[in-house]
Every structure is written in C-alpha cells, then in structure tokens.
Amino acid sequence: MAGDIVKISMYNVGFGDCFLLRFPGPDREHTMLIDCGSIKQGTAGSTDVIVKQIIEDITTDGVARIDVVAMTHRHKDHVSGFANAAWRDVEVGEVWLPWTENPADDRARDFLDEMAGFASALREVASVGDRLGFMPAEQELLDHIIDNTLTLSNEKALATLHRGFKASGAPIPREYLSRSATELRSDRLPGLTVHVLAPSKDEKVIRDMELERHGLKVVLRKRDNFLPGDGEYLLAGMSLPLHAGMLPIDADRRSMSKRRLFRRDMSDTAR
C-alpha cells in the first residue's frame, strides 16, 4: 500500500466517538466505521444528522456499504448513533465487537449482568437524590454516569450491532475480539493488518473490574428498603447490612468522587 492514501474522517458528534476509515484496494475503496455515539451534541448537529452524513459518504452508485463496523464498547457515547433506523438499509460485510458482547460466552454474560445491576442501583439512588441531600452538581454528575452507562439506554443501538444492518448475501458474520498477539486480517479489508489491544481476557484483568474487588456488590432489594421505586437492585457495601446503602459520595466534602467510593449509611436519613 506504499504511496496510497488512507483517509480518516472524524465526525463531530460532540461528546463521543465516530471514525470512518477508507483504505485503497485493488478493485475499490474499502471502509471501516469505528463507533458512532454521543451523549452531548456537537456543533454539527444531532447523531441523526451525523448518521445521515455517514451514509451519504459511504454510498456509491446508489448503494450504501461499509465493509467492517467495529464497536469498541457499549457506552452510549460510542454506540447511540446505531439506534437510527437508517442503518437497516446499509450493507455491512462484518461486525467486530469486544468479546464481552458474545452471547455464547458465560463469562461475558456474567460480567454484563453485574454491570447492568450496578447501573440499575445507581438509577435507584439518583431517583431519591433530593431526599438524600445531593447537591445539584452531584445529581448532574450521577445522572451523566447513568445516562452513559451500559444497557440502560442503548438497547436499540445494541440490537443493530448484534442483529441489524443489511446483508449482501450470506448472514453478516459477527466477530467477538479480545486482546491478542495474533494479527487480525479480513478479506473485507485487503492488505490491512489489525492488532487488537483490548479488552483483555486475562482473568487477573477481569477480576480487577469486578465490583466485589472494590468493596461493592449488587443484591436484590428488600421491599422495606429505604430506597423507593420499581428497581430490582440495591448497591450495598460488602460489610453493610442490606438496609444500608453504598453511595458514591465523599461524606467529608459532600462531593462526587470519581476516584473512590465512600461509604455512607443512609438508613437514618430516609426515616
């Protein structure tokens, strides 16, 4: 590919990511889309506007085609644009996803279930933030974390990535990738070598991401719990009884901390 040009388009989605890579090939230009999402609109417009522009950019002779769509991870700022119904008319050759998205992998399902429970517990806490005395900045940051996290608002986008797009013949293959020393090549991207850097399947790395390693667990919420609402989960400290809670609050400065989780028993506050 010496002397040829690789084109990279970075779309102004705002707070998020969306990259279209174009590679020269022996017969035509080949394309790879990496992520398409945002949690805060950029100056170019909404994600729907961006998706429309992407489809225009990858349409040749009336056919919208992307050789490979790659999703780095499932946060909203990386996938929300895939909720757009227009993707159903886009031909896609392959979809690359992290191994944590593999529905046939028990370890992946357990990890996602735990993270979904954690997100649901945070939503329960946020729903009574005024009663718990949250400052506006605390509430805003917590809402921001919930809005971006995992499966709470990304179902349509994930459905597109797992089952959507238009096939040009045989069913679209989905590859579930992990960090590997093995070089990845695809007939859809001739002449290109890909090195996958993450996520790791090393058990030590996975364990470091588990909630219990950080003093947290998600448990079924008792009906007499102080947190009201319809949620099924409560975030509890490992050494606390189920009627107590675990909140991401610095009890001394009463400010949200992104580096540590501070315990605070809220059972008296709710009475």
Side-chain angles (χ1 to χ4, degrees):
M1 292 175 59
D4 291 331
I5 297 176
V6 175
K7 303 174 185 175
I8 302 176
S9 298
M10 298 174 285
Y11 293 91
N12 183 6
V13 294
F15 194 117
D17 276 334
C18 184
F19 300 89
L20 179 65
L21 284 62
R22 305 175 197 178
F23 305 97
D27 53 349
R28 61 175 176 84
E29 187 175 68
H30 294 261
T31 54
M32 180 179 187
L33 181 68
I34 303 176
D35 290 343
C36 181
S38 177
I39 56 173
K40 186 176 182 180
Q41 180 175 309
T43 56
S46 67
T47 52
D48 288 338
V49 172
I50 299 298
V51 169
K52 182 180 179 180
Q53 182 62 56
I54 294 170
I55 294 176
E56 289 180 2
D57 292 344
I58 50 93
T59 298
T60 303
D61 298 329
V63 178
R65 179 194 296 113
I66 300 175
D67 291 289
V68 174
V69 170
M71 162 193 157
T72 58
H73 62 289
R74 59 167 47 202
H75 282 177
K76 185 176 180 180
D77 58 342
H78 290 259
V79 303
S80 65
F82 292 110
N84 192 304
W87 290 112
R88 68 167 63 104
D89 298 319
V90 176
E91 290 186 6
V92 170
E94 295 178 4
V95 179
W96 296 354
L97 305 107
W99 72 267
T100 50
E101 294 295 322
N102 189 349
D105 189 313
D106 292 339
R107 194 71 177 83
R109 290 201 305 269
D110 290 344
F111 179 75
L112 291 182
D113 285 347
E114 182 183 39
M115 292 299 101
F118 177 74
S120 296
L122 285 181
R123 184 166 55 181
E124 284 286 299
V125 171
S127 70
V128 291
D130 56 340
R131 291 180 54 194
L132 299 179
F134 282 13
M135 303 295 289
E138 294 172 348
Q139 187 71 46
E140 181 180 0
L141 180 55
L142 187 56
D143 290 341
H144 174 79
I145 294 171
I146 294 169
D147 189 43
N148 191 39
T149 191
L150 298 173
T151 59
L152 294 186
S153 57
N154 301 335
E155 291 88 352
K156 290 183 179 180
L158 292 169
T160 297
L161 289 158
H162 278 275
R163 300 180 295 278
F165 302 117
K166 182 179 180 180
S168 58
I172 301 171
R174 259 78 178 179
E175 301 290 340
Y176 302 98
L177 306 176
S178 61
R179 179 181 176 88
S180 172
T182 304
E183 296 177 342
L184 177 65
R185 293 182 176 87
S186 169
D187 292 338
R188 299 285 179 175
L189 301 172
L192 184 70
T193 299
V194 177
H195 299 269
V196 180
L197 302 180
S200 174
K201 294 197 77 171
D202 187 303
E203 279 298 321
K204 292 182 179 179
V205 176
I206 296 172
R207 284 196 299 271
D208 192 55
M209 294 187 292
E210 292 175 345
L211 295 178
E212 291 192 11
R213 188 173 181 85
H214 299 280
L216 300 172
K217 65 178 177 180
V218 176
V219 296
L220 290 177
R221 184 171 61 83
K222 285 187 175 182
R223 291 186 179 275
D224 60 352
N225 199 301
F226 71 92
L227 288 176
D230 298 324
E232 297 178 347
Y233 300 97
L234 165 69
L235 188 64
M238 293 298 292
S239 63
L240 301 179
L242 293 184
H243 67 271
M246 173 67 108
L247 302 177
I249 296 296
D250 182 331
D252 296 327
R253 295 179 297 167
R254 293 202 47 75
S255 61
M256 190 72 71
S257 172
K258 299 181 71 173
R259 291 182 299 177
R260 296 185 59 192
L261 294 173
F262 295 83
R263 289 179 181 171
R264 182 183 177 195
D265 188 339
M266 301 302 298
S267 55
D268 293 334
T269 306
R271 291 196 181 102

